[in-house]
């Protein structure tokens, strides 16, 4: 039952990102990353993000890896916008997937070109 619920959540988020406009898709990514606000802004809980953050990163990873290249590129563009917007916290944002033991399928760094994400 738990795995069915998890798949419904992942597919729901994937559908929102896939069918949304650029602003909407980034609001979904931003909402997921916002679960990590304490870690991004203050470095707490130290030294790794808490469970709500890692659940959000796991959801984002599942969406990025289970839906197509266009969705992964969209997630990439949104993450790049976040590290540009929150430049002083860019390193914290970039380390979130690794701290949570997941991969988004691309490297989060200022020079990442999302058009080459496959």
């Amino acid at each position: 039952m738990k795995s069915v619920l998890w798949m419904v959540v992942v597919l729901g988020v994937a559908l929102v990102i896939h069918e949304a406009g650029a602003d909407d898709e980034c609001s979904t990514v931003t909402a997921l990353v916002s679960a990590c606000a304490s870690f991004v802004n203050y470095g707490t809980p130290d030294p790794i993000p808490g469970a709500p953050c890692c659940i959000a990163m796991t959801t984002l990873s599942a969406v990025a890896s289970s839906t197509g290249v266009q969705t992964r590129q969209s997630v990439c563009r949104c993450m790049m916008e976040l590290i540009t917007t929150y430049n002083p916290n860019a390193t914290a944002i970039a380390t979130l997937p690794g701290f949570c033991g997941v991969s988004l399928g691309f490297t989060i760094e200022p020079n990442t070109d999302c058009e080459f994400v496959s």
Side-chain angles (χ1 to χ4, degrees):
M1 183 66 172
K2 210 175 198 182
S3 62
V4 171
L5 181 59
W6 175 249
M7 268 314 219
V8 169
V9 169
V10 168
L11 291 174
V13 172
L15 185 61
V16 168
I17 291 174
H18 180 71
E19 293 190 2
D23 290 339
D24 289 337
E25 68 191 25
C26 285
S27 67
T28 302
V29 172
T30 300
L32 288 168
V33 174
S34 73
C36 307
S38 179
F39 177 79
V40 170
N41 292 322
Y42 308 110
T44 57
D46 190 35
I48 61 172
C53 175
C54 287
I55 290 168
M57 287 298 101
T58 301
T59 301
L60 193 56
S61 173
V63 167
S65 65
S66 67
T67 55
V69 171
Q70 286 181 320
T71 302
R72 196 168 16 265
Q73 288 175 342
S74 294
V75 170
C76 177
R77 283 189 292 274
C78 295
M79 292 299 288
M80 295 307 110
E81 283 182 31
L82 283 172
I83 67 168
T84 300
T85 302
Y86 300 101
N87 193 317
N89 305 86
T91 300
I93 294 169
T95 61
L96 289 172
F99 273 135
C100 293
V102 298
S103 171
L104 299 180
F106 54 88
T107 303
I108 303 171
E109 58 184 35
N111 297 324
T112 297
D113 186 343
C114 296
E115 298 308 311
F116 292 103
V117 171
S118 58

